[in-house]
């Protein structure tokens, strides 16, 4: 709106445009029949509609991870990215969940199972479950996701004892209008629907009318001498059905209450005592369809902390999942159609898994592991998202702060690698994608070993992003109180260390190990800070490009067994082996592997040339690092290291130029001073001793 004030008329128009045009309209059954012939998707079951919903908002195939990413989770188009999920493992879990829903849509079995999201606290499973419900609400508002139900009208004209307040009654279970057709006639319609239906599934519906609707149908058919057409024309209206969690319509969230007060009527419904005096106890019209399974019909049932329920209470889920029916007290069975999703944490799962009396329930669940993120840069994105949504405009987050916080979290979640061929830090970097072509690291094998070593699978234990996010928040507030406008890794580390033992979700036996991991992260940060300081002291982009081009000229000549022109004399000469090794040694590449590295870099340059991209050493991480380190070796002799460690020369021009260079790398001025004192002293000490 470019700052324009929105009037009430503007807001009203925007609201009207967001509402389905036929939301308030009543249609005839004949209209519905024609509409469903034209678009059979209207008659989809819950699994089919939820499966299509995931595809509707978009998909993207991640070739590196080998997993389909659903844009509603990876981009969150409805909320401008506010609820994005990060991490390969998490998207694999979402992919697995959707696959089970899609299998259910095809009638392969998962439609009769509970989709149980299992994960540690703070892994995002509740967030994902909530997001699915939000998107389902939106999808049913759109033409592509529309669905309809029916209501009985003019009942008092025919049924003598009908309460005038019940002259119009909406389908208590929000059933699809197609169930109004007797099964034989319904099958004829469905067969016709499927003849030219282009979808990976077929339309199916063998549900019976709910008991109250069946009562009305029987009474009306008797009155009209079994003239179904007269019943449907005179007493049925078709209305648009939109999912709404707040209205408990097609979406229901069920939370366990006090174990001693659990009542199955919360799930299946109960007698409507206000109608008992009107209709009598055994009359189906005296039943209140307010149970969670009733409310979730045609949509999604979400069970929070499902395994905290008493064993006896969980028995209701057996028929709800396997038979797709519920059995209220003193009432007939009621058919249901819904995607049943449960969530549970690790302790409850272990407890129920070992209970032999839970065998039937466990057999009716499809477990989907929902682990923590195991790529530390992806983990850092979670904290970045938290900060974007917070009011901290004047707090500068220094380089490496969130990444090192993420690295600490990941170290607590991955299994220690076997043997000495790779360290825990190296494993975390491998998971993060920091693998050079020459490294002998098989990430797939590492993941398999980690899953085999873990109790359930890797990433199902450790410190949650919630704990780290809370500590980052505390560190920000502490910095604010101290008048500091920046947050550095060192401050964050201090908060982690101080509060590890005070966090109730961290087992005491893990505290010492986590402190050890924190020290590993401190060392990793120190190395990165030293690199930043060296970069500030000696970095020269033009010189790196020049040295990179020289290196590639000599590499190509070496590979082709050719000569290169000397820059000074213009004469042809053999490749400068001493120069080549001076670069390669900065990456600790031994002489017996120099050919492999040179061929690797050559292939990279050739590949970019084929793609029409010019050579830039900045684009190759290994070559860039090697050239930067060589540049450091060439320039360090001209640096005043005494000024680097002197606290009395803060206003010195040379020192200020270093701070300016650190600012160009993303540091605040105060943060630059801190990292210069922290890492600069290490750099100076190493060089003065050498």
């Amino acid at each position: 709106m470019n700052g324009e004030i929105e009037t009430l008329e503007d807001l009203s128009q925007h609201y009207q445009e967001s509402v389905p045009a036929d939301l308030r309209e009543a249609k005839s059954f004949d209209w519905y029949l024609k509409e469903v012939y034209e678009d059979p998707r209207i008659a989809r079951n819950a699994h089919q509609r939820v499966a299509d919903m995931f595809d509707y908002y978009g998909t993207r195939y991640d070739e590196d991870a080998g997993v389909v990413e659903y844009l509603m989770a990876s981009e969150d188009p409805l909320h401008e990215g506010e609820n994005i999920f990060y991490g390969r493992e998490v998207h694999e879990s979402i992919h697995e969940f959707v696959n089970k829903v899609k299998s259910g849509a095809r009638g392969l079995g998962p439609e009769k199972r509970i989709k149980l999201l299992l994960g540690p606290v703070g892994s995002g499973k509740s967030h994902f479950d909530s997001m699915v419900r939000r998107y389902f609400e939106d999808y049913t508002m759109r033409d592509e996701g529309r669905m309809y139900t029916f209501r009985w009208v003019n009942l008092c004209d025919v049924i003598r004892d009908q309460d005038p307040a019940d002259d119009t009654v909406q389908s208590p279970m929000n059933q699809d209008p197609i169930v109004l057709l007797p099964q034989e006639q319904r099958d004829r319609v469905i067969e016709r629907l499927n003849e030219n239906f282009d979808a990976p599934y077929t339309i199916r519906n063998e549900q019976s009318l709910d008991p109250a609707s069946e009562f009305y149908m029987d009474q009306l058919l008797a009155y009209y001498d079994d003239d179904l057409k007269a019943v449907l024309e005179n007493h049925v209206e078709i209305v648009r059905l939109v999912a709404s969690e707040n209205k408990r319509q097609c979406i229901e969230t069920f939370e366990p209450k006090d174990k001693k007060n659990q009542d199955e009527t919360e799930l299946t419904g109960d007698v409507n005592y206000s109608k008992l005096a009107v209709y009598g106890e055994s009359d189906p019209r005296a039943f209140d369809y307010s149970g969670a399974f009733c409310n979730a019909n045609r949509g999604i049932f979400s069970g929070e902390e499902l395994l905290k329920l008493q064993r006896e209470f969980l028995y209701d889920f057996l028929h709800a999942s396997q038979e797709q029916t519920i059995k209220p007290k003193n009432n007939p069975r009621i058919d249901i159609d819904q995607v049943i999703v449960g969530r549970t944490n690790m302790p409850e799962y272990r407890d129920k898994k070992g209970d032999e009396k839970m065998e039937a329930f466990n057999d009716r669940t499809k477990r989907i592991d929902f682990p923590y993120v195991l790529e530390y840069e992806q983990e850092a994105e979670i904290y970045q998202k938290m900060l974007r949504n917070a009011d901290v405009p004047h707090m500068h987050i220094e380089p490496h702060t969130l990444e090192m916080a993420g690295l600490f979290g990941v170290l607590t979640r991955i299994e220690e690698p076997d043997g000495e061929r790779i360290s825990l830090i190296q494993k975390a970097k491998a998971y993060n994608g920091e693998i050079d072509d020459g490294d002998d690291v098989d990430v797939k094998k590492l993941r398999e070993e980690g899953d085999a070593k873990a109790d359930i699978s890797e990433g199902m234990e450790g410190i949650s992003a919630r704990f780290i996010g809370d500590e980052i928040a505390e560190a920000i507030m502490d910095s604010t109180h101290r008048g500091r406008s920046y947050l550095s890794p060192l401050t964050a580390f201090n908060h982690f260390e101080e509060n590890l033992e005070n966090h109730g979700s961290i087992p005491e036996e893990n505290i010492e190990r986590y402190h050890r991991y924190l020290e590993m992260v401190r060392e990793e940060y120190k190395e990165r800070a030293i690199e930043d300081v060296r970069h500030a002291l000696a970095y020269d982009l033009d010189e790196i490009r020049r040295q990179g081009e020289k290196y590639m000229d000599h590499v190509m000549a070496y590979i082709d067994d050719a000569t290169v022109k000397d820059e000074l004399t213009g004469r042809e000469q053999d490749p400068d082996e001493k120069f080549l090794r001076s670069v390669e040694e900065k990456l600790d590449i031994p002489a017996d592997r120099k050919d492999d590295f040179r061929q690797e870099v050559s292939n990279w340059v050739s590949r970019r040339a084929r793609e029409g991209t010019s050579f830039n050493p900045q684009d190759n991480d290994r070559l860039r690092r090697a050239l930067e380190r060589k540049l450091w070796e060439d320039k360090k002799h001209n640096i005043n290291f005494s000024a680097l460690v002197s606290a009395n020369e803060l206003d010195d021009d040379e020192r200020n130029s270093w701070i300016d260079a650190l600012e160009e790398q993303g540091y605040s001025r105060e943060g630059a001073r801190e990292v210069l004192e922290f890492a600069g002293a290490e750099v100076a000490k190493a060089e003065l001793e050498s």
Side-chain angles (χ1 to χ4, degrees):
M1 295 289 291
N2 296 323
E4 295 180 12
I5 295 176
E6 292 190 89
T7 66
L8 178 57
E9 183 177 353
D10 295 331
L11 297 171
S12 178
Q13 181 178 351
H14 183 267
Y15 167 72
Q16 283 183 312
E17 291 171 353
S18 70
V19 174
D22 61 349
L23 183 62
R24 315 294 178 187
E25 296 180 13
K27 306 283 190 177
S28 67
F29 187 85
D30 192 51
W31 172 89
Y32 168 80
L33 199 56
K34 292 176 182 176
E35 199 73 9
V36 80
Y37 276 132
E38 186 174 324
D39 184 5
R41 294 178 305 164
I42 293 171
R44 287 172 291 183
N45 63 35
H47 277 79
Q48 292 166 347
R49 187 168 274 105
V50 171
D52 286 347
M53 172 192 74
F54 276 92
D55 289 334
Y56 171 76
Y57 292 100
T59 62
R60 178 176 55 240
Y61 183 67
D62 185 335
E63 293 187 10
D64 294 333
V67 64
V68 173
E69 285 187 1
Y70 292 92
L71 300 192
M72 55 188 283
S74 63
E75 295 185 6
D76 187 24
L78 287 185
H79 311 104
E80 298 182 348
E82 183 179 339
N83 302 300
I84 289 175
F85 287 81
Y86 298 98
R88 164 186 165 161
E89 295 77 17
V90 173
H91 284 289
E92 284 179 342
S93 298
I94 294 171
H95 186 195
E96 183 180 356
F97 174 86
V98 178
N99 278 349
K100 285 179 170 46
V101 174
K102 288 187 173 183
S103 295
R106 298 186 182 202
L108 292 172
E111 74 278 10
K112 299 180 180 181
R113 305 289 182 267
I114 299 167
K115 288 73 176 170
L116 186 65
L117 300 176
L118 170 68
V121 294
S123 65
K125 55 188 181 298
S126 298
H127 186 193
F128 170 68
D129 189 13
S130 174
M131 183 200 68
V132 172
R133 300 196 301 272
R134 297 289 78 74
Y135 271 81
F136 188 68
E137 288 179 329
D138 180 78
Y139 186 57
T140 62
M141 291 277 284
R142 299 172 184 265
D143 188 61
E144 292 82 359
R146 63 184 171 139
M147 54 183 173
Y148 295 90
T149 187
F150 61 90
R151 60 189 178 210
W152 300 100
V153 296
N154 304 321
L155 293 174
C156 292
D157 293 350
V158 175
I159 305 174
R160 293 182 179 180
D161 65 343
Q162 187 75 5
D163 186 343
D166 295 335
D167 187 48
T168 297
V169 177
Q170 181 149 327
S171 167
M173 295 290 291
N174 288 319
Q175 288 183 293
D176 192 297
I178 205 166
V179 301
L180 291 165
L181 296 175
Q183 193 64 54
E184 184 177 346
Q185 288 70 40
R186 190 190 315 171
D187 289 343
R188 292 174 60 181
V189 171
I190 289 176
E191 183 180 359
R192 179 71 180 275
L193 294 181
N194 287 321
E195 284 179 358
N196 299 307
F197 185 36
D198 183 17
Y201 50 78
T202 57
I203 301 298
R204 297 181 296 274
N205 193 314
E206 296 180 357
Q207 285 196 338
S208 299
L209 282 165
D210 65 78
S213 293
E214 189 171 12
F215 173 85
Y216 294 133
M217 179 63 82
D218 288 344
Q219 293 286 314
L220 294 168
L221 285 173
Y223 179 82
Y224 288 102
D225 294 327
D226 290 317
D227 186 345
L228 180 63
K229 181 173 180 289
V231 171
L232 297 181
E233 285 182 344
N234 296 326
H235 297 281
V236 167
E237 290 180 347
I238 307 302
V239 291
R240 181 75 179 261
L241 179 62
V242 173
S244 171
E245 184 173 339
N246 286 340
K247 295 179 181 178
R248 303 179 72 189
Q249 185 168 283
C250 305
I251 297 178
E252 178 65 282
T253 53
F254 183 77
E255 302 176 8
K257 307 297 190 298
D258 181 3
K259 286 186 177 182
K260 296 181 180 179
N261 295 323
Q262 290 174 4
D263 187 344
E264 68 177 18
T265 60
E266 295 178 51
L267 290 171
T268 60
D270 198 4
V271 173
N272 186 341
Y273 293 98
S274 66
K275 297 295 182 181
L276 278 179
V278 179
Y279 297 126
E281 186 173 352
S282 61
D283 196 301
R285 292 172 293 176
F287 185 73
D288 184 4
Y289 294 81
S290 61
F293 282 133
C294 302
N295 297 329
N297 201 45
R298 306 283 303 282
I300 300 169
F301 175 99
S302 173
E304 182 177 342
E305 301 294 350
L306 200 61
L307 297 188
K308 286 186 177 179
L309 295 168
Q310 285 180 309
R311 184 191 305 122
E312 293 76 14
F313 201 65
L314 288 171
Y315 289 159
D316 286 302
F317 286 86
L318 300 183
H319 282 294
S321 56
Q322 182 66 36
E323 307 299 332
Q324 297 176 308
T325 64
I326 55 175
K327 178 62 174 71
K329 289 181 180 178
N330 303 318
N331 272 275
R333 292 192 182 279
I334 302 173
D335 289 335
I336 60 173
D337 169 31
Q338 53 204 254
V339 177
I340 302 177
V341 182
R343 308 192 305 275
T344 191
N345 291 327
M346 302 294 288
E348 291 79 19
Y349 176 75
R350 290 192 181 98
D351 180 53
K352 290 293 192 294
K353 184 180 180 183
D355 187 348
E356 293 182 358
K357 296 181 180 179
M358 289 295 296
E359 183 178 358
F361 178 82
N362 292 335
D363 190 52
R364 286 167 173 78
T365 60
K366 286 287 186 180
R367 191 188 89 197
I368 298 110
D369 293 345
F370 214 92
Y372 290 131
V373 174
L374 297 184
E375 299 88 24
Y376 70 84
E377 288 183 345
Q378 289 285 292
E379 177 79 2
E381 290 289 345
I382 298 174
Y383 314 138
Q384 187 64 60
K385 180 178 71 173
M386 173 193 77
L387 295 174
R388 283 197 301 268
N389 294 334
D391 295 322
V392 285
H394 304 301
M395 182 60 60
H396 188 277
I397 308 302
E398 300 300 314
H400 311 301
T401 302
L402 303 184
E403 288 80 3
M404 293 300 97
L407 178 60
F408 173 56
V410 167
L411 291 181
T412 69
R413 302 167 188 170
I414 60 178
E415 298 295 324
E416 294 267 6
D418 295 327
E420 299 180 356
R421 61 187 176 86
I422 185 172
S423 68
L424 190 66
I425 286 279
Q426 288 172 323
K427 179 177 179 178
K429 289 182 177 181
Y431 279 13
N432 196 55
E434 299 175 48
I435 305 174
D436 296 324
D437 291 346
D439 291 347
D440 185 20
V441 177
D442 187 336
V443 178
K444 182 179 179 181
K445 186 176 180 181
L446 281 177
R447 291 182 183 276
E448 290 172 351
E449 290 175 352
D451 286 337
K453 196 172 182 180
D455 179 23
I456 293 179
S457 61
E458 199 168 34
M460 301 293 275
E461 293 182 332
I463 288 179
S464 70
R466 188 178 298 156
F467 165 79
I468 295 178
D470 288 346
E471 295 309 315
I472 289 173
E474 288 294 326
I476 287 174
M477 295 311 300
D478 183 57
S479 296
T480 301
H481 295 323
R482 295 172 184 271
R484 299 172 61 175
S485 60
Y486 69 98
L487 176 67
S488 70
L490 297 176
T491 303
F493 294 158
N494 290 338
H495 276 265
F496 296 157
E497 188 169 36
E498 290 170 3
N499 294 304
L500 273 176
E501 298 177 21
N502 300 326
H503 199 275
S505 69
I506 300 176
E508 186 176 347
E509 61 269 21
N510 292 345
I511 298 295
E512 183 179 347
R513 179 160 53 92
Y514 290 175
H515 277 297
R516 178 163 56 87
Y517 292 162
L518 190 54
E519 288 306 309
M520 292 181 186
V521 176
R522 286 183 191 273
E523 285 300 310
E524 176 65 22
Y525 168 62
K526 184 171 76 172
E527 292 300 316
R528 297 190 183 205
I530 287 173
E531 285 287 326
D532 287 349
V533 169
R534 286 176 173 169
H535 188 281
L537 268 54
Y539 192 70
D540 185 330
L541 183 61
D542 291 336
E543 180 64 14
I544 287 177
R545 177 182 288 276
R546 190 185 72 79
Q547 293 281 1
E549 290 173 349
K550 177 181 177 181
Y551 177 81
M552 285 312 307
D553 287 343
H554 285 254
V555 162
M556 291 302 200
Y558 175 84
I559 291 174
D560 296 337
D561 195 20
T563 59
V564 291
K565 183 180 292 187
D566 185 89
E567 295 177 352
L568 297 177
T569 66
R571 294 180 178 180
E572 294 294 326
Q573 64 178 25
D574 292 332
D576 187 344
E577 182 66 21
K578 184 177 179 180
F579 168 71
L580 291 174
R581 290 301 296 150
S582 70
V583 174
E584 293 154 1
E585 286 170 354
K586 300 301 178 291
L587 293 176
D588 298 323
I589 295 173
D592 61 353
R593 292 193 62 183
K594 66 180 183 182
D595 288 356
D596 293 337
F597 178 72
R598 293 172 188 177
Q599 189 64 57
E600 172 195 327
V601 177
S602 173
N603 292 342
W604 174 76
V605 171
S606 299
R607 186 166 59 249
R608 290 175 64 85
R610 289 194 300 271
E611 295 170 354
T613 306
S614 60
F615 169 73
N616 186 344
Q618 293 291 323
D619 295 336
N620 186 298
D621 189 56
R622 297 187 83 193
L623 183 58
R624 175 189 57 78
R625 279 185 282 136
L627 294 170
E628 285 180 353
R629 291 171 184 176
K630 183 180 185 307
L631 184 62
W632 168 256
E633 292 294 329
D634 294 342
K635 286 196 169 188
K636 68 180 182 180
H637 306 294
N638 300 321
I639 295 171
N640 181 1
F641 289 106
S642 297
L644 187 59
V645 297
S646 174
N648 298 321
E649 299 182 31
L650 290 177
D651 295 326
D652 173 78
D653 289 341
E654 186 175 27
R655 192 176 182 84
N656 282 333
S657 69
W658 298 336
I659 290 175
D660 291 341
L662 285 166
E663 282 191 276
E664 290 179 6
Q665 294 184 54
Y667 286 88
S668 67
R669 198 151 191 87
E670 296 82 359
R673 290 193 178 97
E674 179 182 286
V675 77
L676 203 57
E677 292 175 14
F678 169 70
E682 294 290 333
V683 172
K685 179 181 177 183
E687 297 305 331
L688 290 172
E689 290 177 352
S690 62

